[in-house]
Amino acid sequence: MFKLRQLTTITTPKKYLLLFVSFLFSASLFAQDGKALFTANCASCHSVTKKLTGPALAGVESRWPSREKLHDWVHNSSKVIQSGDEYAVNLFNEYNKTQMTAFPQLSAQDIDAILDYIKVEETKAAAATAAPVGETQTAADNGDQTLLYGILTLILAIVAFTLLYINANLKKMADDKEGIPATEPIPFWRNKAYITVFTLVLFLIGGYLITDGAVGLGRQQKYEPHQPIFFSHKVHPGVNQINCQYCHIGVYQGKQATIPTVNICMNCHMAINEYKGEKLFNAEGKEVDGTAEIQKLYKYAGFEPGKPWDPSKAKPIEWVRIHNLPDHVFFSHAQHVNAGRVQCQTCHGEVTSYNEMFQFAPLSMGWCINCHRTTKVQFESNGFYSMYEKYKEDIKNHKMDSVTVKDIGGAECQKCHY
Ligand code: HEC
Ligand code: HEC
Ligand code: HEC
Ligand code: HEC
Ligand code: HEC
Ligand code: HEC
């Protein structure tokens, strides 16, 4: 319904209106800074209520002497450990000396926003222990969108009314001037203006419902389909430490990460025809026979162990696509992993611990924009940014302390929409 081409070709007063709406939109996003920062940087290892790779963060402030100390920890945890802080050393040992990522790029305010968010979440969790975290999150996202469309609809309706009113008055004035007597008022059900307004309102409500439905369709967070072969990321990039790029060859060069062909699998599986690793279990908890799964790969490849292989006989494996943005959205992996230096895990979760792949992030527009608002561009030693010399100057002269993706245009509609 709200086609972007229409939005960009509309006249000036409506443009201001749109600006106003996007201002409201970003204001409501502002309140979610802490949540966004947490999701983007910490959620791959921490939950507020559950122990993941790192401890559950509920009540963390009561375990530390001050926020300053927590800032130091998040900026560089190994420094705190090396300083001999007893609590930190014990915690580090308790977590099998797992190194937490250092976040020198987060400012003190950023970390405070995260800590505030944790506080809010722990109160929520205490209030409703039963509500799963994932669901509250989607509900909040949807609330945002509903607000946006609600306001948009209301404002458009008011503008339509005003324009019709002005139009009617102008006509009356023109008629008066020319001495044409005012016509008898027509009953409202035959009045063209009212009919137009009524149609418009119906149209807007219909459009809203359709878009709302579409938003729901686009959201597939946690989507985890059955795949034709039980292929484990825990076994491949995890235990056997195969580089993501070995299989997802496009990820540093192009838009698509790409799914590997049978030929790439066979580079290794000509030789590896048995699975002898740790026991594998599917999502239902049933044990999976890895060797039998490798046999399935051989069927697709048209390969019989011991005989020469003819790669031209290989049939493609029908992997079910999990992540899927709508066609009107532009997203490039290279831009994010090369220029933006964003880790795969930030958007896809701890892939190396998944036996079966699923969609970790919501892939909603709010998710993209939240990250662009809060993520600082890494200018240092990044040739890609030579065009932003002005910002670099401003940072040097302390006019700004950092530049977010939004500052370089990452919240402009046309950057993400065709
Ligand atoms: C790569 C995984 C990882 C990421 C990402 C990560 N952490 Fe941690 N964090 C850990 C681990 C593991 C520990 C436990 C201590 C240790 O082993 O160093 C920890 C400990 C902590 C603690 C101390 C907890 C306590 O109970 O006292 C805080 C606070 C913390 N992390 C905050 C954060 C914040 C804030 C972020 C995001 C900006 C973050 N962490 C991102 C792994 C991670
Ligand atoms: C040995 C090859 C191989 C390696 C290494 C590998 N992957 Fe994959 N990946 C696959 C295959 C095959 C699929 C499709 C089957 C599936 O979804 O499980 C896939 C699917 C995915 C998907 C979901 C694609 C979709 O359908 O939306 C993501 C995300 C992903 N991989 C991320 C990673 C990351 C991150 C790494 C590195 C930590 C990695 N992969 C390493 C082979 C590999
Ligand atoms: C900024 C977030 C982000 C980062 C970082 C990221 N991805 Fe993705 N990934 C996405 C999104 C969004 C999609 C869906 C793209 C689409 O539908 O066009 C996706 C899709 C995929 C797919 C399946 C479809 C495709 O593009 O072929 C694979 C495989 C994948 N990612 C692997 C990786 C690997 C490997 C890395 C790290 C080297 C990585 N991703 C880093 C957001 C990200
Ligand atoms: C770089 C080498 C390499 C590549 C490429 C590779 N594998 Fe593997 N694969 C392994 C290793 C190593 C094991 C573990 C063997 C063991 O532990 O006994 C394995 C195990 C497996 C298993 C049994 C465990 C499981 O995950 O269910 C299957 C099935 C499998 N691979 C399928 C594939 C498919 C499909 C591809 C292509 C998308 C592929 N492999 C690409 C090295 C590779
Ligand atoms: C985890 C953080 C993160 C998420 C999530 C994210 N991005 Fe980005 N994005 C970045 C960073 C960092 C850059 C800066 C890289 C650069 O400047 O080229 C960027 C840059 C971009 C750009 C180029 C902007 C410009 O000014 O040239 C586009 C387009 C874009 N992202 C689209 C998306 C879309 C679409 C999504 C959601 C599907 C998304 N991004 C999700 C971090 C993120
Ligand atoms: C950082 C990338 C990004 C930017 C900037 C962006 N969008 Fe989006 N937009 C998306 C993504 C991703 C989706 C798909 C969301 C989904 O499928 O849930 C989307 C979907 C939409 C939709 C369809 C409804 C929906 O939620 O699916 C509309 C309308 C829309 N955007 C309008 C805009 C307008 C207007 C702007 C400028 C104020 C804008 N977008 C800026 C990424 C972006």
Side-chain angles (χ1 to χ4, degrees):
M1 139 99 231
F2 300 111
K3 275 272 172 56
L4 290 162
R5 294 231 162 59
Q6 286 167 8
L7 286 178
T8 46
T9 53
I10 49 181
T11 48
T12 326
K14 287 207 192 133
K15 255 194 193 150
Y16 285 118
L17 200 109
L18 196 74
L19 265 181
F20 173 65
V21 172
S22 36
F23 165 76
L24 283 177
F25 186 42
S26 51
S28 87
L29 287 175
F30 188 73
Q32 297 193 334
D33 265 6
K35 176 184 170 185
L37 283 165
F38 181 85
T39 313
N41 299 297
C42 325
S44 51
C45 296
H46 288 287
S47 142
V48 176
T49 50
K50 272 185 297 214
K51 184 172 156 180
L52 304 175
T53 311
L57 291 181
V60 67
E61 284 191 66
S62 64
R63 299 197 284 274
W64 287 74
S66 66
R67 280 207 166 184
E68 284 66 46
K69 201 82 204 190
L70 277 167
H71 295 167
D72 294 345
W73 171 265
V74 176
H75 283 147
N76 189 346
S77 68
S78 35
K79 235 181 170 170
V80 178
I81 294 164
Q82 275 156 24
S83 80
D85 182 293
E86 203 187 320
Y87 174 75
V89 172
N90 287 342
L91 190 70
F92 184 58
N93 290 335
E94 187 188 329
Y95 280 82
N96 300 323
K97 308 207 162 157
T98 311
Q99 183 88 40
M100 171 168 142
T101 323
F103 295 93
Q105 75 276 22
L106 293 179
S107 68
Q109 290 99 297
D110 289 342
I111 299 171
D112 283 340
I114 296 175
L115 292 171
D116 290 340
Y117 164 72
I118 292 170
K119 255 200 201 142
V120 171
E121 283 304 296
E122 68 188 59
T123 357
K124 266 198 222 156
T129 4
V133 184
E135 266 170 45
T136 23
Q137 184 177 332
T138 3
D141 283 355
N142 280 340
D144 254 14
Q145 301 265 341
T146 315
L147 187 71
L148 174 70
Y149 292 121
I151 293 168
L152 198 64
T153 311
L154 193 73
I155 293 177
L156 282 178
I158 293 171
V159 169
F161 265 112
T162 319
L163 288 178
L164 284 169
Y165 183 74
I166 293 172
N167 191 25
N169 271 337
L170 282 177
K171 190 163 175 287
K172 193 160 168 285
M173 269 162 67
D175 285 357
D176 282 353
K177 224 178 174 178
E178 286 168 28
I180 303 172
T183 41
E184 275 291 295
I186 354 173
F188 74 87
W189 59 89
R190 279 173 49 206
N191 184 323
K192 277 207 188 103
Y194 283 109
I195 294 173
T196 316
V197 170
F198 185 67
T199 321
L200 200 72
V201 168
L202 270 188
F203 187 64
L204 282 172
I205 294 174
Y208 164 72
L209 289 177
I210 291 169
T211 329
D212 202 44
V215 171
L217 270 185
R219 295 261 164 78
Q220 300 200 324
Q221 195 171 13
K222 308 232 162 77
Y223 177 50
E224 180 177 333
H226 267 295
Q227 296 290 3
I229 296 178
F230 186 91
F231 173 86
S232 164
H233 277 79
K234 189 174 174 187
V235 171
H236 289 89
V239 176
N240 290 290
Q241 302 197 342
I242 305 166
N243 203 305
C244 309
Q245 197 193 0
Y246 187 96
C247 291
H248 300 296
I249 49 175
V251 79
Y252 286 97
Q253 281 91 42
K255 200 167 154 315
Q256 301 280 324
T258 68
I259 300 295
T261 59
V262 172
N263 289 30
I264 294 179
C265 309
M266 292 305 285
N267 285 345
C268 298
H269 283 287
M270 292 275 273
I272 304 171
N273 55 16
E274 272 183 302
Y275 177 71
K276 299 191 209 113
E278 238 178 74
K279 277 188 181 173
L280 294 168
F281 295 95
N282 67 15
E284 285 92 55
K286 261 180 57 194
E287 191 173 341
V288 174
D289 177 358
T291 305
E293 297 297 320
I294 296 174
Q295 292 302 321
K296 287 190 198 162
L297 168 64
Y298 290 169
K299 273 237 175 71
Y300 284 102
F303 172 74
E304 283 175 51
K307 289 194 187 158
W309 178 49
D310 176 5
S312 68
K313 289 221 183 81
K315 283 185 303 227
I317 304 168
E318 311 93 1
W319 301 111
V320 181
R321 177 148 185 166
I322 300 167
H323 298 72
N324 218 344
L325 287 171
D327 288 343
H328 58 80
V329 180
F330 174 84
F331 176 86
S332 160
H333 271 97
Q335 178 118 47
H336 287 86
V337 283
N338 268 346
R341 310 250 172 99
V342 187
Q343 303 282 315
C344 312
Q345 284 87 326
T346 308
C347 299
H348 295 302
E350 281 303 324
V351 169
T352 50
S353 69
Y354 302 163
N355 271 325
E356 284 175 284
M357 182 54 69
F358 71 99
Q359 182 173 321
F360 172 79
L363 305 200
S364 66
M365 180 163 137
W367 175 71
C368 310
I369 294 184
N370 267 333
C371 182
H372 287 184
R373 288 191 65 254
T374 52
T375 305
K376 281 160 197 144
V377 174
Q378 321 234 324
F379 283 109
E380 302 317 319
S381 68
N382 192 339
F384 195 81
Y385 292 109
S386 51
M387 62 238 218
Y388 299 118
E389 284 302 334
K390 184 189 156 295
Y391 280 127
K392 278 198 194 162
E393 283 296 303
D394 284 353
I395 291 179
K396 240 197 234 137
N397 304 335
H398 302 288
K399 280 198 207 146
M400 315 171 78
D401 17 303
S402 58
V403 174
T404 63
V405 181
K406 181 171 169 266
D407 292 328
I408 62 164
E412 287 163 20
C413 313
Q414 74 277 12
K415 285 272 167 82
C416 299
H417 291 291
Y418 292 107

